[in-house]
Amino acid sequence: MSMDDPLSLDRQLCFPLYAAARAMTQAYAPLLSRLGLTYPQYLVLLVLWETDGETVKGMGERLYLDSGTLTPLLKRMEAQGLVRRERSAEDARSVRIYLTSEGRALRRKATSIPEAMACKLGLTLQEATRLRRDIQRLFEVLSQSHVDSSK
Amino acid sequence: MSMDDPLSLDRQLCFPLYAAARAMTQAYAPLLSRLGLTYPQYLVLLVLWETDGETVKGMGERLYLDSGTLTPLLKRMEAQGLVRRERSAEDARSVRIYLTSEGRALRRKATSIPEAMACKLGLTLQEATRLRRDIQRLFEVLSQSHVDSSK
DNA sequence: CGCAATTCAATTGCGCGCAATTGATTCGGA
DNA sequence: TCCGAATCAATTGCGCGCAATTGAATTGCG
């Protein structure tokens, strides 16, 4: 049970990552609740504001989420009037997600969020950039490791 | 919609953190499923292996989780025979969590996990240490920001 | 063309996370 | 001592995440 025990909570890399990710979501919550959004819903909008008409599959590849998560989430956003879900004409297996005018309008209200968060974090631009790069690198290593390498 | 748009997904610090945390959980999953554990259950055991008889409140302060999360989680672990939940004698409001012999025995099987993860990550010790420190710092900033500072 | 394999989204089931509330217990000031 | 405030775990309700399955549509191989 010594402090340099590999099973000590304080020595884990995983735990700060886990805690920080949840704290990040909570830091966004008050900003997003004003727009009636949850954090994953905000991520969906970030994608659609860049690529309107994205498919569910494409959305999943961008956000690393599957249809089991996205389908009900998108249905809730559709019920809120933010998006429209439409079977693709070219390929009836896929479903495309389109912003409604309300969903597009929300973008203007969201423009203040990044700077509000930057302020909360109190990191310099280069600190934030370096940290993002480091975490991205960590993610890339991790996202390799849990794929079935056979076949 | 340019690449230096503050609302571009690629410019967010939050998203890699969110994705990396989930990828980390998934990287642990195959190692933990052999022990019949989920990732948060593993964290609970890390605490108990250090401090057997911890209260629910204390557990929550260590893991930054509340009773709404911990109570059902601990009940599942009790049903698995890993822990015992017991109203405290000194203060009947609180509940103490004790390892069963099975819960203690699981520690031996878990000793290989940290090195298995270190291998998966492929980071040097100092890279991992620095990243952990950076993320901890990020967490500390974040955990301040969402507390009600009034009163 | 014909049909098996593949690709999609949707569904099911379950375990978190967390806000909000409830109810029991303890604390602390008058 | 009494009683209101505070503390604690449990509960309720809801939105993720994700593994596994289902069913429809498409692809591609013979």
Side-chain angles (χ1 to χ4, degrees):
Chain A
M1 300 292 180
S2 64
M3 230 184 319
D4 52 347
D5 187 312
L7 284 174
S8 162
L9 187 62
D10 294 334
R11 283 181 56 84
Q12 309 297 317
L13 170 57
C14 62
F15 178 60
L17 187 66
Y18 165 81
R22 289 185 294 124
M24 182 68 86
T25 300
Q26 287 175 36
Y28 271 93
L31 303 173
L32 293 175
S33 72
R34 278 197 275 276
L35 310 184
L37 295 174
T38 65
Y39 178 69
Q41 287 168 8
Y42 174 65
L43 294 180
V44 162
L45 287 179
L46 289 184
V47 169
L48 290 178
W49 289 331
E50 279 179 29
T51 315
D52 195 11
E54 182 64 275
T55 61
V56 172
K57 176 183 166 61
M59 187 78 72
E61 285 169 352
R62 294 267 228 129
L63 301 181
Y64 308 100
L65 293 170
D66 69 1
S67 66
T69 299
L70 287 173
T71 296
L73 190 155
L74 292 167
K75 281 185 177 176
R76 281 187 288 272
M77 294 180 74
E78 187 176 40
Q80 285 187 260
L82 298 177
V83 303
R84 192 162 42 85
R85 297 160 60 246
E86 199 172 290
R87 262 306 136 185
S88 168
E90 317 92 73
D91 187 339
R93 286 173 303 184
S94 62
V95 167
R96 292 192 176 278
I97 313 300
Y98 297 98
L99 287 165
T100 62
S101 55
E102 191 178 343
R104 259 187 307 275
L106 214 51
R107 189 178 197 284
R108 238 176 306 283
K109 295 187 190 173
T111 50
S112 62
I113 289 180
E115 60 179 319
M117 279 305 301
C119 174
K120 278 199 187 195
L121 293 182
L123 298 178
T124 67
L125 181 60
Q126 49 183 325
E127 280 176 325
T129 302
R130 189 173 69 84
L131 189 52
R132 190 186 67 212
R133 202 161 22 77
D134 289 349
I135 296 175
Q136 256 164 357
R137 213 154 44 85
L138 177 64
F139 170 73
E140 278 155 26
V141 174
L142 285 166
S143 60
Q144 297 297 333
S145 71
H146 73 89
V147 187
D148 184 5
S149 54
S150 66
K151 169 171 173 298
Chain B
M1 300 291 180
S2 64
M3 228 183 322
D4 53 347
D5 187 311
L7 284 174
S8 163
L9 188 62
D10 294 332
R11 284 180 53 84
Q12 307 299 316
L13 169 57
C14 63
F15 178 60
L17 187 67
Y18 165 80
R22 288 185 294 122
M24 182 68 86
T25 300
Q26 287 175 37
Y28 271 93
L31 304 173
L32 293 175
S33 72
R34 277 198 276 275
L35 311 185
L37 294 175
T38 65
Y39 178 70
Q41 286 167 9
Y42 174 64
L43 294 180
V44 162
L45 287 179
L46 289 183
V47 170
L48 290 179
W49 289 332
E50 280 179 29
T51 315
D52 194 12
E54 182 63 276
T55 61
V56 173
K57 176 182 167 60
M59 186 78 71
E61 284 169 354
R62 294 265 228 130
L63 301 181
Y64 309 100
L65 293 171
D66 68 2
S67 66
T69 299
L70 287 173
T71 296
L73 190 156
L74 291 168
K75 280 185 177 177
R76 282 187 288 272
M77 293 180 75
E78 186 175 41
Q80 285 187 259
L82 298 176
V83 303
R84 192 161 44 84
R85 296 161 61 246
E86 199 171 291
R87 253 326 125 180
S88 168
E90 316 91 74
D91 186 340
R93 287 172 302 184
S94 62
V95 168
R96 292 193 175 277
I97 313 298
Y98 296 98
L99 288 165
T100 62
S101 56
E102 191 178 343
R104 260 187 305 275
L106 214 51
R107 189 178 197 283
R108 239 177 306 283
K109 295 187 189 172
T111 50
S112 63
I113 290 180
E115 61 179 318
M117 279 306 301
C119 175
K120 278 200 186 195
L121 293 181
L123 298 178
T124 68
L125 181 60
Q126 50 184 323
E127 281 176 324
T129 302
R130 189 173 70 85
L131 188 53
R132 189 186 67 210
R133 202 160 23 76
D134 289 350
I135 296 174
Q136 256 164 355
R137 216 154 40 87
L138 176 64
F139 170 72
E140 277 155 25
V141 174
L142 284 166
S143 61
Q144 296 298 332
S145 72
H146 73 88
V147 187
D148 184 6
S149 55
S150 67
K151 168 174 175 300

